[in-house]
Amino acid sequence: MAFRVEVSVCIILFSSFFFSLGTAQGVFNYREALEKSILFFEGQRSGKLPHNQRVSWRGSSGLSDGSLAKVDLTGGYYDAGDNVKFNFPMAYTTTLLSWNTLEYGKRMGPQLQNARAAIRWATDYLLKCANAAPNKLFVGVGDPNSDHKCWERPEDMDTVRSVYYVSPSSPGSDVAGEMAAALAAASLVFRTVDPVYSKKLLGNAVKVFRFAVQYRGSYSDSLGSAACPFYCSYSGYKDELYWGAAWLLRATNDISYLNFINTLGANDVPDLFSWDNKYAGAHVLMARRSVVGNDKRFDPFRQQAEDFVCKILPNSPYTSTQYTKGGLIYKLPEENLQYVTSITSLLTTYAKYMASKKHTFNCGSLLVTEKTIRILAKRQVDYILGNNPMKMSYMVGYGTNYPRRVHHRGSSLPSMAMHPQSFGCDGGFQPYYYTANANPNILVGAIVGGPNQNDFFPDERTDYSHSEPATYINAAIVGPLAYFDSSKR
């Protein structure tokens, strides 16, 4: 996990490249990419691995997590290439994966079961975090500062597994709001297939959200160096309260959540969507009731969602989005593909809502149809899968030309089967971190941080800002892949 700072990027770039590159150079197997994008989560698992674990080079890890606080916090996911469990991005990952499964589950075919399993691996852990001790919401395991000084497999961890929590006296409305959103969204995924589990998720979502609202404050302030600079809540916590309430509204139909949102006075319309800033996602989620349900009370959210799209479209008079010459959305230098996949997820979902009612809107004089948005979204997905100047797939294990030196501890070190002896904290640096050799284990499905603004990708393990994968990059692309796979049938 790397230092990721979010700032506003307002660079307007409009040229003919987008249209000249709008047609894919070749045909992509979206179904294969969908399968691999979900498989990736098995490579990120913490805890006791099940008998049907498919990523065979991984072993059980973090089996004493929580013991320092005398609680069980085993399970969950490592966020990226490190061995820390950060609940803030993990919960966001879970919310996105649940949303995409809700929207596109019927299009996923056999991958629906795998998507549910990926969600449940996270929610089982989040439920532990919400219930392990009274008046405490556990939000992370593992000292990130110690962990980032080491290069060792998760199976070998010998760094301190510090336990972090928020409480009434040390609040964390941002992480609590996101955890509530994740539990609420997941409750909808399991509503028909496991109603008992779904009810448990929703009950905990309500409880955790009440905590977020009652004890307001940023977890970054409460946790200090355990959160920053790794996953600082740069945008504050109001967007997570908004996001959490939006998901609870969808899960419960309790109009009090709408009333709560209206009291927040949060009218921000950013030009990105990420683990830190949830406004755009909340607007699209709420806009569904206006576009699909024709509920006039939600028209302001529809307008905000469309204002967001107008900031993304390259030929919109209101665009504030930069594109590379190869046609890729470019927001920030570090882990740029996280913004590409999350924005693309919103684009396909809003296009889906528009198509259901033949809805259109305008960005100034530009008429925007479902097809307008779909073309842009497809361009981003195809770029990631290989339609780019380097002809490289940024999904590991997809195609023949993909990143080989991924910034990921488990992938870059020999597996337990190949090297039964433990690697100490420093043991993996010289032989494996600094080598130019390819990683011995292929982290199938992982999408890395991606190329720079010049469409160049160096494929260097030490260049974490471009070569590190992350759960939230993958969670966002699951929906678009299912969307474009089903559109081919």
Side-chain angles (χ1 to χ4, degrees), residues 81-96:
D82 52 34
N83 299 327
V84 184
K85 296 191 302 202
F86 295 94
N87 283 29
F88 195 32
M90 192 196 308
Y92 169 73
T93 292
T94 309
T95 310
L96 276 196

Side-chain angles (χ1 to χ4, degrees), residues 184-474:
S187 77
L188 291 165
V189 172
F190 293 101
R191 180 162 287 177
T192 58
V193 293
D194 192 342
V196 173
Y197 188 63
S198 173
K199 187 176 181 180
K200 184 178 183 180
L201 291 171
L202 185 55
N204 278 274
V206 171
K207 180 182 75 171
V208 171
F209 188 72
R210 191 182 301 125
F211 176 92
V213 173
Q214 186 173 353
Y215 306 108
R216 298 198 193 188
S218 172
Y219 98 119
S220 298
D221 295 333
S222 296
L223 267 60
S225 63
C228 299
F230 309 101
Y231 287 106
C232 261
S233 184
Y234 296 102
S235 67
Y237 61 79
K238 193 178 286 186
D239 57 313
E240 277 80 30
L241 293 180
Y242 193 127
W243 178 237
W247 274 108
L248 279 161
L249 175 62
R250 180 157 178 181
T252 65
N253 282 320
D254 183 343
I255 207 67
S256 68
Y257 290 109
L258 173 62
N259 298 334
F260 173 77
I261 287 171
N262 289 332
T263 69
L264 288 173
N267 298 311
D268 305 53
V269 181
D271 59 0
L272 52 71
F273 175 48
S274 71
W275 56 262
D276 181 31
N277 195 316
K278 317 294 165 49
Y279 285 117
H283 294 152
V284 170
L285 178 65
M286 300 282 278
R288 174 177 172 269
R289 291 181 182 247
S290 171
V291 179
V292 180
N294 198 30
D295 188 332
K296 299 300 181 187
R297 293 174 298 178
F298 292 83
D299 285 356
F301 304 105
R302 175 186 55 76
Q303 186 59 57
Q304 288 172 315
E306 291 170 1
D307 288 346
F308 166 75
V309 175
C310 289
K311 289 186 172 186
I312 302 301
L313 290 171
N315 49 343
S316 161
Y318 306 116
T319 189
S320 57
T321 299
Q322 180 183 2
Y323 288 79
T324 68
K325 288 183 179 179
L328 182 70
I329 290 171
Y330 190 80
K331 287 293 178 185
L332 289 167
E334 296 197 352
E335 300 281 329
N336 180 60
L337 286 187
Q338 68 172 299
Y339 307 107
V340 178
T341 61
S342 59
I343 289 170
T344 300
S345 183
L346 294 186
L347 293 176
T348 56
T349 296
Y350 200 64
K352 177 173 172 271
Y353 297 162
M354 290 173 66
S356 70
K357 296 294 180 179
K358 296 184 170 58
H359 176 70
T360 63
F361 65 93
N362 285 81
C363 297
S365 59
L366 175 69
L367 175 66
V368 180
T369 67
E370 171 265 338
K371 185 178 180 181
T372 312
I373 301 176
R374 180 162 41 85
I375 289 171
L376 173 58
K378 188 174 185 297
R379 177 73 194 103
Q380 302 309 303
V381 171
D382 289 353
Y383 184 108
I384 290 170
L385 295 182
N387 182 16
N388 56 64
M390 291 196 70
K391 300 294 183 287
M392 170 174 274
S393 162
Y394 292 108
M395 176 183 284
V396 175
Y398 179 88
T400 57
N401 183 25
Y402 54 82
R404 306 284 175 167
R405 289 170 283 277
V406 181
H407 182 95
H408 187 276
R409 287 159 175 76
S411 171
S412 68
L413 294 163
S415 67
M416 299 286 286
M418 298 301 294
H419 191 286
Q421 299 82 14
S422 293
F423 290 97
C425 172
D426 300 326
F429 279 111
Q430 278 306 332
Y432 301 107
Y433 178 70
Y434 292 111
T435 181
N437 294 337
N439 287 5
N441 306 308
I442 300 176
L443 187 61
V444 174
I447 298 176
V448 297
N452 64 21
Q453 61 187 336
N454 298 315
D455 297 297
F456 176 71
F457 179 76
D459 194 14
E460 294 175 359
R461 195 176 296 105
T462 54
D463 183 7
Y464 65 83
S465 66
H466 298 106
S467 66
E468 188 172 17
T471 55
Y472 39 88
I473 304 179
N474 271 65

Side-chain angles (χ1 to χ4, degrees), residues 65 68 141-144 146-147 157-164:
D65 281 359
L68 289 179
V141 182
D143 180 348
S146 297
D147 180 88
M157 281 187 293
D158 53 6
T159 54
V160 62
R161 299 300 284 172
S162 303
V163 177
Y164 302 98

Side-chain angles (χ1 to χ4, degrees), residues 13-220:
L13 180 68
F14 169 63
S15 68
S16 60
F17 77 81
F18 179 76
F19 300 102
S20 65
L21 289 173
T23 304
Q25 300 165 0
V27 178
F28 294 102
N29 188 333
Y30 301 115
R31 191 172 306 182
E32 177 193 346
L34 173 65
E35 178 181 3
K36 290 179 175 178
S37 70
I38 298 171
L39 177 63
F40 159 74
F41 288 94
E42 294 192 18
Q44 297 302 111
R45 283 173 168 173
S46 182
K48 177 70 175 174
L49 300 186
H51 65 88
N52 60 351
Q53 168 82 9
R54 293 175 294 169
V55 180
S56 59
W57 50 265
R58 278 296 323 281
S60 297
S61 62
L63 298 181
S64 63
D65 281 359
S67 61
L68 289 179
K70 295 182 170 58
V71 295
D72 174 15
L73 296 179
T74 56
Y77 290 111
Y78 305 117
D79 70 297
D82 52 34
N83 299 327
V84 184
K85 296 191 302 202
F86 295 94
N87 283 29
F88 195 32
M90 192 196 308
Y92 169 73
T93 292
T94 309
T95 310
L96 276 196
L97 197 52
S98 297
W99 191 4
N100 280 325
T101 303
L102 274 176
E103 295 291 349
Y104 306 102
K106 292 179 180 177
R107 310 179 187 209
M108 287 182 177
Q111 297 313 313
L112 176 57
Q113 281 294 97
N114 292 326
R116 287 183 186 137
I119 294 165
R120 189 160 186 155
W121 194 268
T123 52
D124 281 352
Y125 167 77
L126 295 177
L127 287 171
K128 290 180 181 180
C129 292
N131 294 290
N135 295 315
K136 290 180 180 178
L137 181 66
F138 291 93
V139 299
V141 182
D143 180 348
N145 295 287
S146 297
D147 180 88
H148 283 67
K149 294 175 183 175
C150 300
W151 198 260
E152 58 186 344
R153 301 175 297 204
E155 296 82 3
D156 294 335
M157 281 187 293
D158 53 6
T159 54
V160 62
R161 299 300 284 172
S162 303
V163 177
Y164 302 98
Y165 62 87
V166 293
S167 66
S169 59
S170 299
S173 299
D174 25 34
V175 67
E178 184 59 74
M179 287 171 67
L183 294 168
S187 77
L188 291 165
V189 172
F190 293 101
R191 180 162 287 177
T192 58
V193 293
D194 192 342
V196 173
Y197 188 63
S198 173
K199 187 176 181 180
K200 184 178 183 180
L201 291 171
L202 185 55
N204 278 274
V206 171
K207 180 182 75 171
V208 171
F209 188 72
R210 191 182 301 125
F211 176 92
V213 173
Q214 186 173 353
Y215 306 108
R216 298 198 193 188
S218 172
Y219 98 119
S220 298

